Amino acid sequence: AQSVSQHNHHVILSEAASLELGCNYSYGGTVNLFWYVQYPGQHLQLLLKYFSGDPLVKGIKGFEAEFIKSKFSFNLRKPSVQWSDTAEYFCAVTLPSGGYNKLIFGAGTRLAVHP
Amino acid sequence: GAVVSQHPSRVICKSGTSVKIECRSLDFQATTMFWYRQFPKQSLMLMATSNEGSKATYEQGVEKDKFLINHASLTLSTLTVTSAHPEDSSFYICSARETYGAYEQYFGPGTRLTVT
């Protein structure tokens, strides 16, 4: 079955540290890839997405992600995190499924940034 | 940007009763809406895909007679939890995909259901 794996369940960083969150998916065909963020008490928001083209995707709030097809990976990065980046981050894949393109989520990574 | 609302945001009900949760796309039309369930400190699990004017498509293991989904218009989908039990207590989240969009889903704020 198709799945999305996020390697880090809980990450703790100090402000200004660099961030990289791993995401791998298991599907051999064409995929659309997403990173969502859920701030405490808030709903899911889209950070960035990849459909095609340049595999290095830039999103909001200084985040970027790189799609490496050969590794089935879509890792999220940020060069310098801030306290306000404390949130839960979800990687997701859209697979063609009866035309409705349902999202499959990873387990999430909880990021805590300390001042 | 596209906004999705859910109502109620929080509901407490007694075991055996039914609860209806609404999901609305406020500024766009959504032929397709999705219902997810999120357990504490876990990821979102897709329950069903709701299609305007037709029957919902349920994921494996989700009881369609227990979780009734209706998508009567391009801006409204409802999830009714029938004969609720304490194990149905969870965070229910909907998302909506623009009818003419590019596979992006917009998420509602979620509904916290507690069954006592």
CSV table of all heavy atoms in Angstrom, one decimal, chain A residues 37-60:
chain,number,residue,atom,x,y,z
A,37,VAL,N,1.6,22.6,7.7
A,37,VAL,CA,2.0,22.9,9.1
A,37,VAL,C,0.7,23.2,9.9
A,37,VAL,O,-0.3,23.7,9.4
A,37,VAL,CB,2.9,24.2,9.1
A,37,VAL,CG1,2.2,25.4,8.5
A,37,VAL,CG2,3.4,24.5,10.5
A,38,GLN,N,0.8,22.7,11.1
A,38,GLN,CA,-0.3,22.9,12.0
A,38,GLN,C,0.2,23.6,13.3
A,38,GLN,O,0.9,22.9,14.1
A,38,GLN,CB,-1.0,21.6,12.4
A,38,GLN,CG,-2.3,21.7,13.2
A,38,GLN,CD,-3.0,20.3,13.3
A,38,GLN,OE1,-2.4,19.3,13.4
A,38,GLN,NE2,-4.3,20.4,13.4
A,39,TYR,N,0.0,24.9,13.4
A,39,TYR,CA,0.4,25.6,14.6
A,39,TYR,C,-0.5,25.2,15.8
A,39,TYR,O,-1.7,24.8,15.5
A,39,TYR,CB,0.4,27.1,14.4
A,39,TYR,CG,1.4,27.5,13.3
A,39,TYR,CD1,1.0,27.8,12.0
A,39,TYR,CD2,2.8,27.5,13.6
A,39,TYR,CE1,1.9,28.2,11.0
A,39,TYR,CE2,3.7,27.9,12.6
A,39,TYR,CZ,3.3,28.2,11.3
A,39,TYR,OH,4.2,28.5,10.4
A,40,PRO,N,0.0,25.3,17.0
A,40,PRO,CA,-0.9,25.0,18.1
A,40,PRO,C,-2.2,25.6,18.1
A,40,PRO,O,-2.4,26.8,18.0
A,40,PRO,CB,0.0,25.4,19.3
A,40,PRO,CG,1.4,25.4,18.8
A,40,PRO,CD,1.3,25.8,17.4
A,41,GLY,N,-3.3,24.8,18.1
A,41,GLY,CA,-4.6,25.3,18.2
A,41,GLY,C,-5.2,25.8,16.9
A,41,GLY,O,-6.3,26.4,16.8
A,42,GLN,N,-4.4,25.6,15.8
A,42,GLN,CA,-4.9,26.2,14.5
A,42,GLN,C,-5.0,25.0,13.5
A,42,GLN,O,-4.7,23.9,13.7
A,42,GLN,CB,-3.8,27.2,14.0
A,42,GLN,CG,-3.7,28.4,14.8
A,42,GLN,CD,-2.9,29.5,14.1
A,42,GLN,OE1,-2.8,29.5,12.9
A,42,GLN,NE2,-2.2,30.3,14.9
A,43,HIS,N,-5.6,25.4,12.3
A,43,HIS,CA,-5.9,24.3,11.3
A,43,HIS,C,-4.7,24.2,10.4
A,43,HIS,O,-3.7,25.0,10.5
A,43,HIS,CB,-7.1,24.7,10.5
A,43,HIS,CG,-7.0,26.0,9.7
A,43,HIS,ND1,-7.2,27.2,10.3
A,43,HIS,CD2,-6.7,26.2,8.5
A,43,HIS,CE1,-7.1,28.1,9.4
A,43,HIS,NE2,-6.7,27.6,8.3
A,44,LEU,N,-4.7,23.1,9.7
A,44,LEU,CA,-3.6,22.8,8.7
A,44,LEU,C,-3.5,23.9,7.7
A,44,LEU,O,-4.5,24.4,7.1
A,44,LEU,CB,-3.9,21.5,8.0
A,44,LEU,CG,-3.5,20.2,8.8
A,44,LEU,CD1,-4.1,19.0,8.1
A,44,LEU,CD2,-2.0,20.1,8.8
A,45,GLN,N,-2.2,24.3,7.5
A,45,GLN,CA,-2.0,25.3,6.4
A,45,GLN,C,-0.9,24.8,5.5
A,45,GLN,O,0.0,24.1,5.9
A,45,GLN,CB,-1.4,26.6,7.0
A,45,GLN,CG,-2.4,27.3,8.0
A,45,GLN,CD,-1.7,28.5,8.7
A,45,GLN,OE1,-1.0,29.2,8.0
A,45,GLN,NE2,-1.9,28.6,10.0
A,46,LEU,N,-1.0,25.1,4.2
A,46,LEU,CA,-0.1,24.6,3.2
A,46,LEU,C,1.2,25.5,3.3
A,46,LEU,O,1.2,26.7,3.3
A,46,LEU,CB,-0.7,24.7,1.8
A,46,LEU,CG,0.2,24.3,0.7
A,46,LEU,CD1,0.4,22.8,0.8
A,46,LEU,CD2,-0.4,24.7,-0.7
A,47,LEU,N,2.3,24.8,3.4
A,47,LEU,CA,3.6,25.4,3.4
A,47,LEU,C,4.2,25.5,2.0
A,47,LEU,O,4.6,26.6,1.6
A,47,LEU,CB,4.6,24.6,4.2
A,47,LEU,CG,4.8,24.9,5.7
A,47,LEU,CD1,5.9,24.0,6.3
A,47,LEU,CD2,5.2,26.4,5.9
A,48,LEU,N,4.1,24.4,1.3
A,48,LEU,CA,4.6,24.4,-0.1
A,48,LEU,C,4.1,23.1,-0.7
A,48,LEU,O,3.6,22.2,-0.1
A,48,LEU,CB,6.1,24.5,-0.1
A,48,LEU,CG,6.9,23.6,0.8
A,48,LEU,CD1,7.0,22.2,0.3
A,48,LEU,CD2,8.3,24.2,1.0
A,49,LYS,N,4.2,23.1,-2.1
A,49,LYS,CA,3.8,22.0,-2.8
A,49,LYS,C,4.7,21.8,-4.1
A,49,LYS,O,5.3,22.7,-4.5
A,49,LYS,CB,2.3,22.2,-3.3
A,49,LYS,CG,2.1,23.4,-4.1
A,49,LYS,CD,0.7,23.7,-4.4
A,49,LYS,CE,0.5,25.0,-5.2
A,49,LYS,NZ,-0.9,25.4,-5.2
A,50,TYR,N,4.7,20.6,-4.5
A,50,TYR,CA,5.4,20.3,-5.8
A,50,TYR,C,4.5,19.5,-6.7
A,50,TYR,O,4.0,18.4,-6.3
A,50,TYR,CB,6.7,19.5,-5.5
A,50,TYR,CG,7.4,19.0,-6.7
A,50,TYR,CD1,8.2,19.8,-7.5
A,50,TYR,CD2,7.2,17.7,-7.2
A,50,TYR,CE1,8.7,19.4,-8.7
A,50,TYR,CE2,7.7,17.2,-8.4
A,50,TYR,CZ,8.5,18.1,-9.1
A,50,TYR,OH,9.1,17.7,-10.3
A,51,PHE,N,4.4,20.0,-7.9
A,51,PHE,CA,3.6,19.2,-8.9
A,51,PHE,C,4.5,18.8,-10.0
A,51,PHE,O,4.5,17.6,-10.5
A,51,PHE,CB,2.5,20.1,-9.5
A,51,PHE,CG,1.4,20.4,-8.5
A,51,PHE,CD1,0.6,21.5,-8.7
A,51,PHE,CD2,1.2,19.6,-7.4
A,51,PHE,CE1,-0.4,21.8,-7.8
A,51,PHE,CE2,0.2,19.9,-6.5
A,51,PHE,CZ,-0.6,21.0,-6.7
A,52,SER,N,5.4,19.7,-10.5
A,52,SER,CA,6.3,19.3,-11.6
A,52,SER,C,7.3,20.5,-11.7
A,52,SER,O,7.2,21.5,-11.0
A,52,SER,CB,5.6,19.1,-12.9
A,52,SER,OG,4.9,20.3,-13.3
A,53,GLY,N,8.3,20.3,-12.6
A,53,GLY,CA,9.2,21.4,-12.8
A,53,GLY,C,10.4,21.4,-11.9
A,53,GLY,O,10.9,20.3,-11.5
A,54,ASP,N,10.9,22.5,-11.5
A,54,ASP,CA,12.1,22.7,-10.6
A,54,ASP,C,11.8,21.9,-9.3
A,54,ASP,O,10.9,22.1,-8.6
A,54,ASP,CB,12.3,24.1,-10.3
A,54,ASP,CG,13.6,24.4,-9.6
A,54,ASP,OD1,14.2,23.4,-9.0
A,54,ASP,OD2,14.0,25.5,-9.5
A,55,PRO,N,12.7,20.9,-9.1
A,55,PRO,CA,12.5,20.1,-7.9
A,55,PRO,C,12.8,20.8,-6.6
A,55,PRO,O,12.5,20.3,-5.5
A,55,PRO,CB,13.5,18.9,-8.1
A,55,PRO,CG,14.6,19.5,-9.0
A,55,PRO,CD,13.9,20.5,-9.9
A,56,LEU,N,13.4,22.0,-6.6
A,56,LEU,CA,13.6,22.8,-5.4
A,56,LEU,C,12.4,23.8,-5.3
A,56,LEU,O,12.3,24.7,-6.1
A,56,LEU,CB,14.9,23.5,-5.4
A,56,LEU,CG,15.3,24.2,-4.2
A,56,LEU,CD1,15.3,23.3,-3.0
A,56,LEU,CD2,16.6,25.0,-4.4
A,57,VAL,N,11.6,23.6,-4.3
A,57,VAL,CA,10.4,24.4,-4.2
A,57,VAL,C,10.5,25.3,-3.0
A,57,VAL,O,10.9,24.9,-1.9
A,57,VAL,CB,9.2,23.4,-4.0
A,57,VAL,CG1,7.9,24.3,-3.9
A,57,VAL,CG2,9.0,22.4,-5.1
A,58,LYS,N,10.1,26.5,-3.2
A,58,LYS,CA,10.2,27.5,-2.1
A,58,LYS,C,8.7,27.7,-1.7
A,58,LYS,O,7.8,27.9,-2.5
A,58,LYS,CB,10.8,28.8,-2.6
A,58,LYS,CG,12.3,28.6,-2.9
A,58,LYS,CD,13.1,29.9,-2.9
A,58,LYS,CE,14.5,29.6,-3.3
A,58,LYS,NZ,15.2,28.8,-2.3
A,59,GLY,N,8.6,27.8,-0.3
A,59,GLY,CA,7.2,28.0,0.2
A,59,GLY,C,7.2,29.3,1.0
A,59,GLY,O,8.0,30.1,0.9
A,60,ILE,N,6.2,29.3,1.9
A,60,ILE,CA,6.0,30.5,2.7
A,60,ILE,C,6.9,30.4,3.9
A,60,ILE,O,7.5,29.4,4.3
A,60,ILE,CB,4.6,30.6,3.2
A,60,ILE,CG1,4.1,29.4,4.0
A,60,ILE,CG2,3.6,30.8,2.0
A,60,ILE,CD1,2.8,29.6,4.7
